[in-house]
Amino acid sequence: MTRNTHGLGAEVMDHLGPCLSFLGLPEYSRPVNEARAVIVAAPYDGTTTFRAGTREGPRAILAASRELECYEEDTGTEPYRYGIATLGELRVTAVSPRDMVERVHAVGKALLAAEKIPVLLGGEHLMSLGMIQAAAARFHSLTVLHLDAHPDLRASYQETPFSNACVMRHVLDSVHLVQVGLRSMTREEHELIREKAIPAFFAEEVVRDSHTIPRILDLLGPDVYVTIDLDVLDPSIMPAVGTPEPGGLGWYDLLSLLRAVTTQKRIVGFDVMELCPIPGMVAPDFLAARLVHKMLAHIFLDKP
């Protein structure tokens, strides 16, 4: 990776460490207009209801990514060579959760118009709504593949519809939705899934039945946005989430599904949300960073 001295001179640049960017890539080595994928960090957890701290998630993922090997052995590629840029963190507004969603939407709209693949890092899952709405406006046949322990289909929560517990209720209004990994919900949410015939796959089904992945693929359109709440994974490998639920997907369960999706569909954007770092425990941070890297490797390999 060649460093642009940025006019400061090699005597200065040679003393600087990696930027807080994905993989520690020098932010000036790959301008956004030359990148295929652009990392967007949304450090917001304003409507978190149980264990707060997902606002620290994006920084933990970026910090962990600096320690990743840049090579993926299953694809035989180094994703950074295809172009990855990292934007500065989104500024947080305390006006309202809706205002923060609109901020994500504005950035997502601009990146998609520039034909980039936005990669959102959270932060609470409500932030995905802004990026999904931007993708839905651009790709009219969009399907959202929602990986989560919870359906997030409540009409409102704590007296507001702009809550992480309601994010997929908004998505449902305008986009075809497929949910995978569910294992905790309210009676009302379960009834809505049945009433609306929302394609929903419970975690046990995904883990135990190898024929589930082809059934999921059959339900997806050609253009897919993937939204990942990290609590879709089993807490034994991903304890660093706000509401860990037992019985989730394993690492290879998740990768097998994502690999199949990237092979057969066009991924127009994706997000990795709800990392709630645990002090002194770096494994979940590494997992989230590796997950982003794997996704990019497979997207670039399948659609070079």
Side-chain angles (χ1 to χ4, degrees):
M1 292 172 275
T2 303
R3 277 189 164 186
N4 181 327
T5 57
H6 221 47
L8 296 178
E11 68 277 14
V12 173
M13 304 307 295
D14 287 347
H15 293 298
L16 300 182
C19 301
L20 189 57
S21 60
F22 193 69
L23 299 177
L25 296 171
E27 57 188 351
Y28 32 80
S29 75
R30 183 68 76 165
V32 169
N33 62 353
E34 296 179 10
R36 288 192 60 200
V38 180
I39 308 291
V40 181
Y44 182 85
D45 60 2
T47 75
T48 298
T49 54
F50 182 43
R51 194 164 66 88
T54 59
R55 71 183 65 180
E56 303 296 336
R59 291 173 195 163
I61 295 172
L62 293 174
S65 75
R66 294 170 19 160
E67 307 303 324
L68 295 177
E69 297 292 355
C70 295
Y71 176 76
E72 289 292 346
E73 73 285 351
D74 55 343
T75 60
T77 60
E78 295 169 309
Y80 77 87
R81 294 185 183 278
Y82 293 81
I84 302 171
T86 304
L87 296 184
E89 284 186 348
L90 292 183
R91 285 189 296 108
V92 171
T93 173
V95 173
S96 73
R98 185 171 190 166
D99 284 84
M100 193 64 200
V101 169
E102 290 176 353
R103 191 161 289 184
V104 175
H105 177 267
V107 173
K109 181 180 178 181
L111 291 176
L112 290 164
E115 300 184 342
K116 308 302 176 186
I117 300 170
V119 180
L120 181 66
L121 306 182
E124 69 165 70
H125 208 174
L126 179 63
M127 297 300 99
S128 300
L129 178 60
M131 200 63 81
I132 290 171
Q133 289 176 332
R138 186 164 183 84
F139 301 97
H140 299 298
S141 61
L142 187 71
T143 301
V144 170
L145 176 59
H146 173 215
L147 306 173
D148 199 325
H150 313 90
D152 294 344
L153 288 170
R154 295 175 190 244
S156 68
Y157 191 68
Q158 295 180 331
E159 302 181 31
T160 175
F162 280 88
S163 162
N164 63 74
C166 311
V167 58
M168 292 302 143
R169 186 67 170 254
H170 294 277
V171 171
L172 188 62
D173 290 339
S174 57
V175 180
H176 180 53
L177 176 66
V178 176
Q179 300 190 303
V180 176
L182 306 181
R183 56 194 186 279
S184 178
M185 63 192 67
T186 66
R187 177 186 296 275
E188 291 75 16
E189 287 178 304
H190 203 182
E191 289 174 351
L192 183 67
I193 288 172
R194 291 166 170 160
E195 176 189 334
K196 300 283 189 182
I198 301 169
F201 296 83
F202 289 83
E204 182 176 5
E205 185 179 5
V206 177
V207 172
R208 295 185 185 279
D209 185 355
S210 61
H211 300 294
T212 303
I213 291 179
R215 292 168 51 209
I216 294 171
L217 292 177
D218 287 344
L219 293 164
L220 304 177
D223 298 322
V224 177
Y225 183 95
V226 180
T227 179
I228 303 172
D229 184 325
L230 287 168
D231 69 19
V232 73
L233 291 163
D234 191 83
S236 61
I237 61 170
M238 179 44 73
V241 291
T243 50
E245 296 282 353
L249 274 59
W251 174 245
Y252 291 109
D253 300 318
L254 180 60
L255 289 188
S256 295
L257 172 59
L258 294 174
R259 183 76 186 92
V261 174
T262 59
T263 299
Q264 298 195 23
K265 309 295 178 181
R266 179 170 67 160
I267 307 299
V268 303
F270 71 93
D271 60 56
V272 175
M273 310 300 286
E274 295 283 351
L275 179 68
C276 188
I278 299 173
M281 181 182 288
V282 298
D285 307 351
F286 255 81
L287 186 155
R290 179 61 72 187
L291 179 57
V292 172
H293 200 246
K294 287 277 186 191
M295 280 289 286
L296 290 172
H298 289 300
I299 290 170
F300 294 155
L301 179 70
D302 294 328
K303 307 292 185 302

